[in-house]
Amino acid sequence: MDNMVSGAHPVKQVPHRIYADHAATTPVTDSVRAAMELYLSECFGNASAVHREGREASRAVFAARKRCADILGCLPDELIFTSGGTESDNLAIKGNAFAHGLRGHILTTAIEHHAVLNSARFCSSLGMTSDTVLPEADGIVSPDAFAAAIREDTVLCGCMLANNEIGTIQPIKEIADTVHRKGIPMFCDAVQGMGQILVSVSVLGADLLSLSGHKIGAPKGVGLLYIRRGTPITPLLDGGGQEMGLRAGTENVAGIVGMAQALADAAAHTAETTAHLSVLSDALMSELITIPHCVINGTTERTKRLPGNVNVSFPGLDAESMVLHLDRMGIATSAGSACTAGKTEPSHVLKALGHDDRRATASLRFTLGYENTMDDVRAIGAAVRQITEQLYTMTGM
Ligand code: PLP
């Protein structure tokens, strides 16, 4: 049964597993593992301790912070290490809201990650207000539409660098310029994009910026938040006063060292990664679009989309079931939409683009990584063609 589509059709297995879900997480790279090794073994000290073991750990955190700051174009003391993108987003939004005494208005976009949307909702539940700006039909937020939604009492604006479902790259600099003209800080969730776009806080014009290690070859459980000097933030965690008093908790020294290595690798290889992924995703998109019923979600303009992202819908089919069939064939990918209790919920991103539920529950997101090859692309194309043909036949479409 495991290799049949609904028990009726034999499923062709690809010769090896193909991982095409890099926006969900990435494998830890050899260079990151090598950089971390020492801090998982001999140098295990607590970075707050004054003895030699502690000082070694503290030096490693200091060096990692400096390394990250040089890459992102900021000062080391403007970087706070966190447990990942979710925590960084929460600290940026809730920490800023608490610093404003939970008064005022938060403006973000309708296609943000739930870590951002739900943080803003939480602040609204405590007495603030929040709004989201809809993107255009191609998944890009218009700076003019964003500017028009800023209110007199807006205390924080946020827009993601690149969307995690459809890969659209947002005009952050233009949005930030408008936001700054009104004297409001700009938050940017840059969790997706690092390694495929050069991320510099000054080029983007961000005052707060989130990054996550596990999206770029570091392990899960480490991330960072850039906080431009002077941007008001109240810490969310009380404790030992680590991270300049903004994020208490014993430092994840090995993770922090790994994060710095991953960031350095991502920055150093952005051009070649982008070139490689663009060739693969162009080929995959060209192949998928020839499959009956396939529609591409988001922009097809190369410069406005993450090079590794291909997001398509097969209206009328169920995203989760397509993902499971692909998994049985040896291909790991994901649905753009969440599955709750066996029912596929429409993707909030595709709904924000104006798509109906038939399309918003039928999306497949392929996010390619450096190890993917043209053979992988061909295998994915063939598998999607086979599965969708069978599923459409079964549903009588
Ligand atoms: N923001 C975006 C845009 C993401 O894609 C993700 C994860 O997919 C997050 C935030 C959360 O990051 P983490 O998994 O590190 O908590």
Side-chain angles (χ1 to χ4, degrees):
M1 181 66 197
D2 213 32
N3 60 351
M4 307 285 273
V5 173
S6 277
H9 305 275
V11 167
K12 229 189 277 165
Q13 295 278 331
V14 293
H16 60 281
R17 293 278 305 171
I18 295 173
Y19 186 76
D21 200 15
H22 292 80
T25 198
T26 56
V28 175
T29 63
D30 290 345
S31 73
V32 166
R33 203 172 297 129
M36 290 174 68
E37 175 55 36
L38 187 64
Y39 302 94
L40 291 168
S41 50
E42 284 157 60
C43 295
F44 59 88
N46 182 324
S48 300
V50 294
H51 46 61
R52 192 173 74 195
E53 286 80 353
R55 290 197 306 276
E56 277 167 358
S58 165
R59 268 199 298 274
V61 172
F62 182 88
R65 200 186 310 278
K66 168 90 173 67
R67 209 172 174 199
C68 294
D70 289 347
I71 294 162
L72 298 173
C74 63
L75 298 166
D77 66 7
E78 292 177 307
L79 293 181
I80 301 299
F81 288 110
T82 65
S83 65
T86 299
E87 185 188 331
S88 297
D89 289 350
N90 273 261
L91 180 55
I93 294 175
K94 295 177 186 172
N96 186 261
F98 283 121
H100 283 101
L102 291 171
R103 276 190 294 273
H105 172 248
I106 301 170
L107 183 63
T108 63
T109 81
I111 57 171
E112 299 296 312
H113 190 272
H114 281 112
V116 170
L117 292 175
N118 292 343
S119 291
R121 270 182 209 133
F122 174 78
C123 297
S124 296
S125 77
L126 295 180
M128 297 183 80
T129 50
S130 66
D131 281 309
T132 55
V133 180
L134 284 173
E136 304 288 312
D138 62 357
I140 312 284
V141 175
S142 138
D144 289 342
F146 199 96
I150 298 175
R151 300 189 340 194
E152 278 295 300
D153 63 342
T154 303
V155 291
L156 181 68
C157 289
C159 181
M160 69 202 321
L161 175 60
N163 182 264
N164 45 303
E165 286 188 31
I166 55 173
T168 46
I169 300 169
Q170 305 302 329
I172 299 299
K173 177 70 178 138
E174 285 155 86
I175 295 175
D177 285 348
T178 320
V179 167
H180 287 155
R181 275 197 291 277
K182 309 227 178 201
I184 303 166
M186 177 74 197
F187 163 57
C188 179
D189 174 340
V191 165
Q192 301 286 343
M194 186 76 211
Q196 298 184 45
I197 304 173
L198 282 173
V199 176
S200 143
V201 293
S202 54
V203 171
L204 293 175
D207 303 292
L208 295 161
L209 180 133
S210 306
L211 286 174
S212 172
H214 74 101
K215 310 290 185 182
I216 53 169
K220 292 148 198 69
V222 64
L224 58 79
L225 178 66
Y226 159 73
I227 307 174
R228 188 185 297 277
R229 272 193 187 167
T231 310
I233 288 284
T234 297
L236 302 183
L237 300 180
D238 295 307
Q242 289 91 344
E243 296 296 302
M244 282 87 61
L246 285 172
R247 199 273 184 180
T250 300
E251 294 88 342
N252 171 7
V253 180
I256 288 169
V257 168
M259 173 87 200
Q261 183 65 44
L263 212 55
D265 292 342
H269 300 296
T270 301
E272 59 187 282
T273 303
T274 301
H276 174 68
L277 296 182
S278 299
V279 170
L280 295 186
S281 58
D282 282 351
L284 182 56
M285 229 186 253
S286 311
E287 172 60 23
L288 293 178
I289 201 63
T290 66
I291 300 176
H293 305 277
C294 179
V295 278
I296 292 174
N297 296 315
T299 183
T300 49
E301 262 187 75
R302 164 61 46 232
T303 55
K304 294 185 174 173
R305 185 172 192 130
L306 286 181
N309 175 291
V310 177
N311 186 307
V312 293
S313 280
F314 289 91
L317 297 187
D318 178 69
E320 212 62 31
S321 121
M322 288 189 280
V323 167
L324 290 174
H325 285 310
L326 285 169
D327 181 43
R328 282 183 205 143
M329 293 177 82
I331 297 167
T333 187
S334 70
S337 36
C339 180
T340 318
K343 187 175 175 293
T344 304
E345 299 292 336
S347 144
H348 73 284
V349 173
L350 297 186
K351 291 293 278 184
L353 265 57
H355 299 316
D356 62 12
D357 283 4
R358 270 183 92 247
R359 180 160 171 178
T361 51
S363 61
L364 284 177
R365 177 188 72 174
F366 299 95
T367 45
L368 305 172
Y370 200 72
E371 75 282 4
N372 287 124
T373 62
M374 204 50 105
D375 280 346
D376 294 348
V377 164
R378 280 189 279 270
I380 293 171
V384 174
R385 188 179 293 279
Q386 183 192 340
I387 284 162
T388 54
E389 203 177 285
Q390 291 171 356
L391 291 173
Y392 274 121
T393 306
M394 279 159 47
T395 54
M397 290 172 70

